[in-house]
Amino acid sequence: MTGDSPSIADVLLPLALEGPYSYRIPAGLRLEPGDYVEVPLGPRSRIGVVWALKNEAPQGPKLRDVTGRFDMPAMPEAHRKFIDWLAAYYLEPPGNVLRMVLRAPGAFEGPRKQIAYRASGSVPKRMTPQRQRILEIAAEGPALRVAELAELTGASVAVVKGLIKDGALEAVELPALKPFPEPNLNGGGYRLSRDQEEAARALRALIASRTHKVTLLDGVTGSGKTEVYFEAMAAALAAGGQVLLLLPEIALTSTFIARVEARFAAEPAQWHSDLKPRERERVWRGVAAGEARIVVGARSALFLPWKKLGLIVVDEEHESAYKQEDGVAYHARDMAVLYGSIARFPVILSSATPSLETLVNVDRGRYGLVKLSDRHGRAELPEIGLIDMKAAKLEAGTWLSEPLAAAVAATLASGDQALLFLNRRGYAPLTLCRACGHRLNCPNCAASLVEHRFRRQLLCHHCGHVEAVPKQCPACGAEEKLVPVGPGIERLAEEAAARFPDARVAILSSDLSRGTLLRDAIRDVEKGEYNLVIGTQLVAKGHHFPHLTLAGVVDADLALESSDPRGGERTWALMAQVAGRAGRGEKPGRALIQTYLPEHPLMQALKKGDRDSYLGQEKLIRENAGLPPYGRLAAIIVSGGDANETERFARAIGRTAPRAEGVAVLGPAPAPIHLVRGRHRWRFLVKAGREVKIQNFLRQWLKEVKPKGSLHLAIDVDPYSFL
Ligand code: ADP
Ligand code: ZN
C-alpha cells in the first residue's frame, strides 16, 4: 500500500443501485473524485464515476480492482452534487441520474482513430431480415461504428461483423470531431430599443454579481426577450463561463439555431433527442472540456458534464414539456434553478406567460423580475375576440363558426397566414357504432382509440396500439355503421379544405414529431409556403411566424374541463401563446376564440388582456386549496398486471401511511386512466404544507415497501400529470 494516496474508490455506476460501490485502486493508478473509470460488475465491465476516495475498505467480501481510468476531464464537484441532490429530491437512486449523464457512449471510445462503416453496395451471399436492416441503415446516412449499427438495429455486434467480413459493409475512417467555434460576443445583434436596453442592463448586472439569483424575464410574445437574454449570455460568456439555453424540444428549430448563430457569429452546440451518435459524442466531449461555450438544448442538456457553467436561460419556462414523465420524473426548470444554487450562477427564466409558481416566487422576493412591456417595433399584441358557440348553430360534423370562417377567408384573401388551433391529434377522438352504441376502445388501456385517417389507422394515444379501421362493428357486425365523434385536427383540416379550397394547408402535430419532419414543416411555415396552419399545442411553442395575422382557437374549453389543478393556468398560457403567434411581423394580428363559456372569468380576462387579475384569482384558489406553490404535492402510482393484486397492494400500502403534521394522504383510488398497456393503475396524492419536507415523509413511509412480481411503485414529486 502506498501510504498517503487513497486505496479505495467509491464508484457510482449508472444503475438503480442504492449508492456507489467500493473498488480497490491498483498500484500505479492515481484517481481523483469525478474521474471516469472502468470497473468490473458481475461478468461485465462498466463505466462509472469516482464519487469518493478513502483508505479503509468496507467489511465484507474482497473488493475487485478498478480496471482503468478514462483520459478525459473529471466530472466537477458541482455536477456530482447536482446528481446527488436531484436524486434525493425525486427519491431516485443516484445511479439512475448518472445514467442520464452518460448518454453518449461514443465519448468513452477515446480520441484514437475511429473506423466506421457504410454499405458497399455488394449484396451478401446470405440475407436475413437483421442483415437487411443493418444494410438499409448503413446505406441511408453517415457511416456508423459497429456498436452504433448494432444498437440502432437491435442486432448483435457479431451480425454486423459478419457483414463486414462478407464485404457488404466497407470501412471509412471518421474525421476528427469538428472543433467548436469561439463565439463572438459583439456578433450580429440588433440595436436594442430603450426598453430592451434597460432590461439587458439589468440582466448584465445580474451576471456581473456572479451570485446565484433567479430572474424572471417577463414580456409579451414578440417583445424581444430573446434579443435581451442574448445580451445576458454574452456577458456570461465574457466572464469565462459556459452558457446553457434550454428550450422545449419542439422549439429547437433550425431557424432558432440560426438566430443564435447570427448573434454570436458561431454555430452553437445543440442537444436534443434526435442527435446523431457522433454529434452526441462531440457535444458531450466539448462540454466536458469546456470548449463548447454555448449549448442550445432540450431538458436533458442539464445533465451534460458541465465544466464551468456560468448561466442557464430557461426559455418558455411555463412549458410543461420541461417535466419528464418517464424514468426519472424531473422538472428541468426547477432543476436548472437547483443547479444554479449549487454551482452559484444566475438563472434566467423567460416567458410571455410565466407559470404561477414563478410569479409567486417573484411576489415573495425570491426571484428578481425584469419586464418588457411592448412588442418590438410596430408589432402589437393581438386583439382577442370571443365567439359564443351557443349562438353559432353549427351544422353537425363542422367546427368552424361563421365569424371565424369569415376571418380566415379574409386573412387568406389578403395574402397573410392564418392559424387554426385545436389541441387534439388525429381525425376523431372517438369512433362508435350507430347500430349498437359500441365504442372502439384500446385492448390494453382504459381509453378510446383515436382515428388517424391519413394513416387509415386507429391509434391508442397511451400505449401506441395500432389497428386498421374495421369495416364492421366488432360487437354487432353491422356494416357501415361506425361513425367518428368529435373533431381532431385532421377532421378540421377536412372542413378547412372544403371551405377554403385554395388554401395551402400545413398540419402540425406531434404525429410529425420524429424530429426532422416537424422541424421541416415549421421552417416551411415560417417561410410562408403554407398559408393555413392547423395545429395542436405544438404551434404554441415559441415559433415565430412573421406572416401570420390571425389565430383561431377552435375549442378553448377543452383544457378547462380537465381535473388538473393547473388546468386554468394552462388554458390561460395556451390561449395567450396561440394568440401571440399572430401579428409578430409588420402587420397587426388578431385572435378569435370559440368558447361555450364566454362569461368564464378566464375568457373575459383573455379578452381584456388582463393577466394580473386572472392570475390573482387563480392564486387565491390555489392558496385556499393548499395547492402548489402554496403547498407541496407528490403522487404515488401503483401498477400491476393483475387487477385484484394491484388493488390489494395499493390498499396495503395505504394502511401503512404514517401520520404526520401537515400531511394528508389521499387515496388509493383507481387512476383516471386505470388501465395502460395492460397494467392496472392506482394512485395516491400526498398533499403537504410548504414547510413540510415531503421527501422525508415519503422515504419513511415507503422504505419497507418492496413490490414483487409485476407490481411496480412510482413516485412523482411535484406531479404535472394526474392521469
Ligand atoms: P420574444 O422572444 O419576446 O417572443 P423576439 O426576441 O423573438 O421576442 O423578438 C420578436 C421579433 O422582433 C424577432 O423577429 C426579432 O428579431 C425582432 N426584434 C426584437 N428586437 C429587435 C430589435 N431591437 N431590433 C430589430 N428587431 C428586433
Ligand atoms: Zn392503449
Side-chain angles (χ1 to χ4, degrees):
M1 198 155 294
T2 48
D4 49 357
S5 74
S7 56
I8 308 292
D10 285 347
V11 176
L12 187 66
L13 295 165
L15 301 165
L17 307 167
E18 294 277 327
Y21 277 14
S22 296
Y23 289 88
R24 237 171 46 91
I25 305 173
L29 184 65
R30 283 197 71 92
L31 292 180
E32 300 290 337
D35 276 341
Y36 296 87
V37 290
E38 191 169 36
V39 295
L41 185 78
R44 295 189 49 178
S45 127
R46 288 278 185 177
I47 297 169
V49 178
V50 176
W51 228 240
L53 294 169
K54 57 193 186 191
N55 268 312
E56 222 131 294
Q59 299 286 336
K62 191 167 168 293
L63 297 182
R64 301 173 79 179
D65 278 6
V66 173
T67 323
R69 187 185 84 87
F70 288 95
D71 185 19
M72 55 172 66
M75 181 187 287
E77 189 186 357
H79 204 70
R80 284 178 276 134
K81 261 195 185 162
F82 174 57
I83 292 173
D84 278 335
W85 286 32
L86 187 145
Y89 188 87
Y90 291 114
L91 287 99
E92 279 286 340
N96 278 357
V97 184
L98 181 64
R99 185 157 47 201
M100 300 196 289
V101 177
L102 298 182
R103 278 214 186 122
F108 293 90
E109 298 198 353
R112 65 193 153 72
K113 269 194 200 159
Q114 296 198 35
I115 304 295
Y117 294 87
R118 62 172 177 233
S120 65
S122 98
V123 182
K125 286 190 281 298
R126 200 168 51 80
M127 194 55 114
T128 64
Q130 252 187 352
R131 286 186 151 205
Q132 179 92 43
R133 230 177 14 250
I134 293 169
L135 289 178
E136 274 165 18
I137 290 204
E140 220 169 58
L144 293 164
R145 284 166 290 182
V146 173
E148 288 163 0
L149 280 168
E151 193 186 316
L152 285 171
T153 55
S156 74
V157 167
V159 178
V160 180
K161 288 193 170 157
L163 284 171
I164 297 170
K165 203 158 145 249
D166 282 6
L169 290 175
E170 66 184 2
V172 283
E173 192 177 312
L174 286 177
L177 295 173
K178 194 170 69 171
F180 289 92
E182 208 30 45
N184 177 351
L185 306 186
N186 307 313
Y190 290 103
R191 200 196 160 86
L192 298 185
S193 69
R194 269 249 294 283
D195 254 20
Q196 291 173 341
E197 186 47 48
E198 203 172 306
R201 204 176 310 131
L203 294 183
R204 280 192 217 104
L206 172 78
I207 305 296
S209 75
R210 290 173 180 252
T211 51
H212 171 60
K213 172 102 192 152
V214 184
T215 299
L216 169 64
L217 176 59
D218 177 3
V220 296
T221 50
S223 56
K225 296 185 293 299
T226 312
E227 298 301 324
V228 169
Y229 68 60
F230 280 169
E231 296 307 301
M233 289 167 63
L237 291 165
Q242 291 168 291
V243 171
L244 168 58
L245 171 50
L246 279 180
L247 289 173
E249 174 106 29
I250 205 61
L252 254 162
T253 56
S254 52
T255 327
F256 188 84
I257 297 294
R259 228 177 129 178
V260 181
E261 180 171 355
R263 169 61 183 82
F264 294 101
E267 193 187 351
Q270 296 180 49
W271 189 259
H272 52 76
S273 63
D274 45 59
L275 224 51
K276 296 268 181 330
R278 187 83 174 141
E279 187 59 13
R280 211 161 253 282
E281 169 185 348
R282 170 175 175 256
V283 174
W284 200 94
R285 287 181 151 267
V287 169
E291 286 155 12
R293 303 290 311 284
I294 306 176
V295 177
V296 183
R299 62 189 180 209
S300 60
L302 268 179
F303 299 99
L304 285 167
W306 296 99
K307 183 168 190 226
K308 190 166 181 286
L309 198 46
L311 170 69
I312 302 181
V313 177
V314 184
D315 200 355
E316 312 286 345
E317 70 87 29
H318 62 278
E319 258 300 331
S320 53
Y322 282 122
K323 177 73 195 295
Q324 169 151 312
E325 298 291 354
D326 325 315
V328 180
Y330 69 95
H331 197 298
R333 175 200 60 213
D334 299 349
M335 292 304 106
V337 170
L338 172 76
Y339 204 154
S341 78
I342 292 172
R344 302 219 169 68
F345 59 74
V347 175
I348 296 171
L349 309 179
S350 175
S351 176
T353 53
S355 63
L356 207 74
E357 271 84 357
T358 296
L359 288 170
V360 169
N361 275 318
V362 171
D363 293 348
R364 288 181 181 140
R366 299 184 54 205
Y367 291 1
L369 173 66
V370 171
K371 256 190 120 120
L372 278 171
S373 32
D374 293 320
R375 275 198 164 184
H376 176 72
R378 266 187 293 154
E380 304 262 327
L381 194 60
E383 184 187 308
I384 297 181
L386 301 177
I387 298 173
D388 184 352
M389 294 305 279
K390 295 192 296 289
K393 310 237 166 20
L394 293 181
E395 241 174 79
T398 70
W399 323 97
L400 297 176
S401 64
E402 275 316 314
L404 181 53
V408 171
T411 304
L412 299 182
S414 69
D416 293 339
Q417 284 176 319
L419 164 71
L420 290 173
F421 169 78
L422 176 66
N423 212 5
R424 264 199 191 138
R425 293 157 54 206
Y427 185 81
L430 178 68
T431 305
L432 62 79
C433 171
R434 237 178 346 196
C436 75
H438 178 74
R439 298 164 153 237
L440 298 186
N441 282 338
C442 175
N444 316 315
C445 304
S448 50
L449 290 169
V450 178
E451 183 183 350
H452 284 243
R453 192 157 284 194
F454 300 157
R455 297 163 52 172
R456 296 163 190 272
Q457 282 171 335
L458 293 165
L459 201 77
C460 172
H461 286 180
H462 297 279
C463 72
H465 170 87
V466 184
E467 56 186 66
V469 184
K471 293 219 165 45
Q472 306 177 322
C473 171
C476 71
E479 297 211 12
E480 317 255 309
K481 291 288 180 196
L482 292 172
V483 287
V485 180
I489 53 169
E490 292 178 1
R491 197 169 189 187
L492 188 64
E494 202 175 77
E495 182 181 351
R499 275 187 185 256
F500 319 111
D502 300 329
R504 300 183 305 278
V505 179
I507 300 182
L508 298 185
S509 83
S510 60
D511 288 323
L512 293 172
S513 78
R514 282 302 107 206
T516 43
L517 269 182
L518 185 64
R519 283 176 226 281
D520 290 352
I522 288 169
R523 188 200 51 215
D524 292 344
V525 173
E526 284 166 342
K527 284 201 291 202
E529 286 179 15
Y530 298 103
N531 60 355
L532 181 55
V533 184
I534 298 185
T536 61
Q537 57 178 348
L538 287 182
V539 298
K541 297 189 187 197
H543 307 301
H544 185 66
F545 300 141
H547 312 289
L548 198 130
T549 56
L550 174 72
V553 176
V554 174
D555 186 349
D557 308 335
L558 266 182
L560 273 181
E561 290 158 8
S562 80
S563 58
D564 181 344
R566 293 185 184 82
E569 176 191 344
R570 278 196 185 163
T571 305
W572 170 275
L574 205 50
M575 295 301 114
Q577 293 281 354
V578 171
R581 291 314 113 207
R584 289 173 61 95
E586 294 290 299
K587 294 190 197 168
R590 90 178 150 128
L592 287 171
I593 296 182
Q594 297 192 154
T595 174
Y596 284 90
L597 306 164
E599 312 308 326
H600 193 289
L602 189 152
M603 300 301 163
Q604 287 298 316
L606 273 170
K607 187 175 163 192
K608 296 189 199 111
D610 190 357
R611 178 178 100 188
D612 293 346
S613 80
Y614 174 68
L615 290 179
Q617 284 178 39
E618 269 298 293
K619 285 181 196 168
L620 276 180
I621 295 172
R622 297 256 195 110
E623 188 162 17
N624 290 334
L627 290 168
Y630 302 95
R632 293 179 194 284
L633 292 181
I636 298 171
I637 300 104
V638 173
S639 62
D642 179 78
N644 291 329
E645 191 187 21
T646 310
E647 175 171 0
R648 272 199 305 277
F649 181 55
R651 294 202 187 283
I653 294 172
R655 281 191 292 276
T656 64
R659 288 181 181 281
E661 175 84 17
V663 183
V665 175
L666 311 177
I673 300 184
H674 58 87
L675 186 69
V676 173
R677 293 172 202 274
R679 295 179 62 81
H680 301 267
R681 303 168 75 244
W682 286 71
R683 293 181 67 104
F684 292 92
L685 192 63
V686 182
K687 268 181 80 178
R690 231 162 57 81
E691 68 296 341
V692 174
K693 283 253 179 302
I694 203 167
Q695 286 84 357
N696 292 350
F697 175 85
L698 293 168
R699 240 176 242 121
Q700 195 202 336
W701 178 14
L702 302 170
K703 66 173 183 272
E704 305 296 343
V705 176
K706 300 267 183 286
K708 294 211 177 61
S710 79
L711 293 170
H712 183 75
L713 182 147
I715 302 173
D716 189 1
V717 176
D718 306 334
Y720 278 69
S721 162
F722 296 84
L723 294 178

